[in-house]
Amino acid sequence: MLKQASVLATAVALASQAMASGYKINEQSASGVGNAYAGRAAVAEDASVVFYNPAGMTRLKRPELSVGVTYIDVNGSFEGERLNSAGISSDFEPGAYGDGGDFVPNPTIPFMYYVRPLDDKAAIGLGIFAPFGTHTDYESNALVGGFADETKLTTIDIQPTFAYQLTDTLSIGVGIDIVFAEGLLSKQLDTVPFVPDAYVQGAQMQLNNSGLDPNSAAFIQQQAKIDAISGLNDPSYMGYDNKFEVEGDDRGYGWNFGVMWDISPATTFGFAYRSEIDLDLEGTAEFKQNQGVQVFAPELKGHPLLDADNNGVVLADAAIAAKNGELFGLSDAELVQTVQGFSGEVKDQDARVPLTTPRSATFSLAHRINDRVQLQGGATWTDWSVFKYFDVIATRSGIIDDISGLGENYIGHIVEKWHDTWSYALGASYQVNHNWLLRAGYAFDESPVAEQHRTARVPDNDRQWLTAGAKYKVNDDISFDLGLAYLLIDESDLNEYDYDLDDKVKGLQNATGTYDMDALGVSLQMNYRM
C-alpha cells in the first residue's frame, strides 16, 4: 500500500551525507580538509578561496588554478524492525526483509577553482563544485524500504566571483551561484499487506466470544471486516509487492558575499555568507510494475494479535492476554475499517518537489604565531529550519496521488522540521621547511535532525572530525595538497511513520531501529600558479 512517496532528498555527483551534517557538502578543497576547514574564510593560500570567501581573491597576486577530488569510504549499517500497513511485525514475515546492507555508496567529489587578478586591487574568479548532497541506496527488501529505497540528487554550482581591496587591510568579494540539480528517489511498496492466519483466527475468536447476537447488525458488520482481511494470509503477499520511483531536475540561483580584514599583521578575520536557493524539481513519478497492480488499503485499528519469543514461537493465549491486558490486544470491537481498494493500470504521473537550500554564515580567525605556526578557528551557522517538509506534489491528474490517500494532489509528505545548527572547528598549520607544510584539525558538526523526525532517507546525527593534511611545494608554480578526515558519527535511532497533511501519524506502517555509521575521507588537490 502506498502511504506516501517521498522524494528527492539530496546528493551530488555520487556525494554522500556521511561527511557533513544535513545534506551539505563540506569537501570543497584538500587544503581545507587538513585543518577541518577551520578558519577557511580568513586565509587565502590557493584558488579554493573562491568558495570559502571570495574577498580573499585579492590576496592572490598571480593567476591560479586549483583542481582536486575527494574520495569517501563510508560504513553504514541498520538493525531494526518493520510493521507493515496491517500492523504486522517483520518477525512474522520470515525471510521477507533484510537489514539493507551497507546502504551508503562510497562517493567521489570533484572541485575546481580559478582566480585571476585584474590589477593590484581587483580580481575575478570561477568555481565549479558541489554544495549539497546525500546518497543512500538500500538493498532490495530492506526493513526500511517502505520509507526509503534509493535517495539521490546531483547538484553542480557554477560560481563566477569578483573581489576588490578597499584598503590595505580590508577586501570584499561577491559571487553568483548558478545551481543545477537533478535527483532520483525510489521506495518499496507493500501494496497488499500480509496478515498471518493466526491474526485472522484471533479476530474471529474475539468476535465469537463478544456475546453479540450472530444475527445482529453489529456482528454482521464486524464479520464482514474480518472477512475483508481473511484473504491476506497468502505467503506471496509477504514483503514488498512493487516499487515507486520519481525523478526531477531544476536550475536555481543564489548569491554569496565575503569580507576579509587584517586586524593586525598577524591576525585576520573573515566572514562569508551564502544565500538560500529555491528549487522546484520537476519530473515523473511511476510504479515500476504498472500493469495489473493490486492495492489493498485497509487501516487496521487494533494491535497485532500475536507476539513471539526469541525462537519465533507463538506465545500461548494466556501469555498474550496477560501481556496485553485482554485477549489478542484488541481494544474494542471495531477491528478493521475497510477503504476502497484498487486494481488495474497505474500510469506515470508528472510531479514536482519544492526544495529550498539553507542560508549560511561563517566566521573565521587566523592568527600567525611566528613564521612557522598558524592557528585557525571558526564557526558556521546554517539555517536548516527552512527545511520543514519533503513534499511530492502531482502537477497533473492521475492515479498515484489518489492511491496515496493524502489529498490535495499530494503524492508524498515527509515531516522533517529541521532546526538551525552551528558547527565549530579548530586547526593549526606548521611550516616544516620551504617545501613542506603540515596541518591538523578538529571539528564538531551539529545535526539539524530532531530524533522524532529522523528518516531513513537522511539518518543524520552529530559528528566529530579528526583531520590531518600536508602541502608539498614542488616549485614556485606548482604545489599539491593531501587531506585525511575521519568522522565519528553518533548512533542514530529511527522511529519513522507515515504522516497526513496535518502532520499526524497516518496508518500503522512503521520502521524502528538503530543506525551505526563512520567515514574516512581522502582529498587530493593540485595548485598551479600561472
Side-chain angles (χ1 to χ4, degrees):
M1 174 171 53
L2 177 61
K3 289 294 190 179
Q4 62 187 20
S6 65
V7 81
L8 298 181
T10 39
V12 82
L14 300 181
S16 163
Q17 101 285 340
M19 291 302 279
S21 66
Y23 56 82
K24 184 185 286 188
I25 299 294
N26 280 343
E27 291 68 37
Q28 308 302 343
S29 74
S31 54
V33 170
N35 298 119
Y37 307 104
R40 293 306 292 178
V43 295
E45 55 182 322
D46 56 53
S48 66
V49 73
V50 168
F51 173 83
Y52 296 109
N53 186 349
M57 294 192 304
T58 61
R59 310 294 176 98
L60 304 181
K61 300 307 179 184
R62 293 168 58 185
E64 186 163 342
L65 174 70
S66 295
V67 296
V69 65
T70 296
Y71 173 77
I72 306 174
D73 182 14
V74 187
N75 296 305
S77 63
F78 174 79
E79 293 184 1
E81 180 186 9
R82 162 181 161 79
L83 298 183
N84 69 15
S85 57
I88 304 300
S89 170
S90 51
D91 293 340
F92 299 104
E93 298 187 63
Y97 303 106
D99 60 10
D102 190 357
F103 59 91
V104 183
N106 295 332
T108 301
I109 307 169
F111 48 83
M112 187 276 286
Y113 309 97
Y114 174 74
V115 174
R116 182 178 185 83
L118 298 179
D119 54 35
D120 291 340
K121 292 187 175 182
I124 57 174
L126 178 69
I128 302 176
F129 53 91
F132 300 102
T134 192
H135 187 194
T136 53
D137 189 5
Y138 296 90
E139 292 179 354
S140 298
N141 300 319
L143 286 165
V144 298
F147 295 97
D149 178 42
E150 182 176 10
T151 305
K152 180 181 177 182
L153 173 77
T154 300
T155 65
I156 299 296
D157 191 326
I158 300 175
Q159 178 189 306
T161 58
F162 174 77
Y164 190 78
Q165 188 168 330
L166 297 176
T167 69
D168 291 341
T169 60
L170 179 66
S171 58
I172 60 172
V174 294
I176 297 176
D177 295 286
I178 307 169
V179 176
F180 298 87
E182 61 180 26
L184 164 73
L185 166 138
S186 65
K187 65 178 288 185
Q188 302 291 328
L189 299 177
D190 192 8
T191 58
V192 183
F194 174 71
V195 178
D197 282 331
Y199 193 112
V200 181
Q201 294 168 4
Q204 188 66 62
M205 183 184 300
Q206 178 75 22
L207 178 60
N208 292 342
N209 295 334
S210 66
L212 292 173
D213 182 350
N215 296 317
S216 68
F219 187 98
I220 293 173
Q221 182 183 36
Q222 296 307 313
Q223 185 64 61
K225 293 176 180 179
I226 294 173
D227 292 342
I229 62 169
S230 62
L232 300 179
N233 59 356
D234 188 332
S236 67
Y237 295 151
M238 286 187 180
Y240 302 110
D241 310 301
N242 210 323
K243 184 177 179 178
F244 172 84
E245 184 174 289
V246 63
E247 295 181 86
D249 59 72
D250 192 22
R251 180 176 65 245
Y253 301 92
W255 58 276
N256 58 86
F257 171 78
V259 175
M260 193 172 288
W261 174 39
D262 292 329
I263 300 174
S264 72
T267 304
T268 301
F269 169 78
F271 171 78
Y273 174 86
R274 286 188 170 273
S275 74
E276 63 186 31
I277 298 173
D278 292 324
L279 297 167
D280 203 20
L281 303 169
E282 296 185 352
T284 302
E286 63 174 328
F287 276 35
K288 299 304 290 184
Q289 302 173 25
N290 59 10
Q291 299 292 329
V293 176
Q294 291 185 332
V295 176
F296 185 84
E299 303 288 343
L300 301 185
K301 300 300 182 182
H303 302 282
L305 301 178
L306 301 176
D307 203 344
D309 61 20
N310 292 334
N311 297 318
V313 179
V314 176
L315 300 177
D317 291 352
I320 299 173
K323 179 177 180 180
N324 297 324
E326 55 181 302
L327 188 60
F328 300 117
L330 292 179
S331 58
D332 52 49
E334 183 178 6
L335 174 65
V336 182
Q337 177 183 356
T338 302
V339 294
Q340 183 177 4
F342 170 83
S343 178
E345 180 183 6
V346 178
K347 295 182 178 180
D348 297 352
Q349 192 166 3
D350 293 341
R352 66 182 183 90
V353 181
L355 178 67
T356 299
T357 67
R359 304 176 290 163
S360 65
T362 297
F363 305 85
S364 295
L365 275 176
H367 177 70
R368 183 163 294 280
I369 296 178
N370 53 45
D371 291 342
R372 290 183 178 270
V373 179
Q374 179 173 270
L375 302 180
Q376 298 165 211
T380 296
W381 169 81
T382 305
D383 181 27
W384 283 119
S385 59
V386 72
F387 187 38
K388 299 185 183 299
Y389 302 102
F390 245 139
D391 289 328
V392 187
I393 305 169
T395 56
R396 67 175 176 84
S397 60
I399 190 64
I400 296 179
D401 65 303
D402 291 336
I403 294 174
S404 74
L406 290 168
E408 300 182 22
N409 297 322
Y410 275 71
I411 293 175
H413 177 70
I414 290 183
V415 178
E416 297 288 355
K417 294 187 177 179
W418 287 9
H419 57 79
D420 296 348
T421 61
W422 283 90
S423 61
Y424 307 92
L426 294 173
S429 300
Y430 178 70
Q431 189 75 50
V432 179
N433 53 42
H434 177 74
N435 297 103
W436 284 97
L437 174 72
L438 301 181
R439 303 184 179 98
Y442 167 82
F444 174 77
D445 202 0
E446 181 186 7
S447 170
V449 177
E451 185 168 327
Q452 65 268 32
H453 294 306
R454 182 174 290 116
T455 68
R457 295 206 178 277
V458 188
D460 193 52
N461 210 341
D462 296 346
R463 63 203 64 202
Q464 299 179 75
W465 296 60
L466 299 175
T467 70
K471 176 187 286 290
Y472 176 68
K473 187 176 180 181
V474 179
N475 52 46
D476 288 340
D477 300 329
I478 299 174
S479 63
F480 291 91
D481 288 281
L482 174 68
L484 302 175
Y486 180 67
L487 270 72
L488 298 90
I489 305 172
D490 292 351
E491 285 191 348
S492 304
D493 293 328
L494 179 73
N495 186 19
E496 187 169 2
Y497 287 92
D498 294 314
Y499 291 89
D500 62 21
L501 299 184
D502 294 323
D503 299 348
K504 297 179 180 178
V505 172
K506 174 179 169 60
L508 298 179
Q509 180 172 221
N510 174 234
T512 57
T514 301
Y515 285 94
D516 187 11
M517 298 173 61
D518 59 28
L520 175 66
V522 180
S523 297
L524 182 64
Q525 175 181 322
M526 184 194 76
N527 309 296
Y528 176 52
R529 302 176 70 191
M530 303 171 190

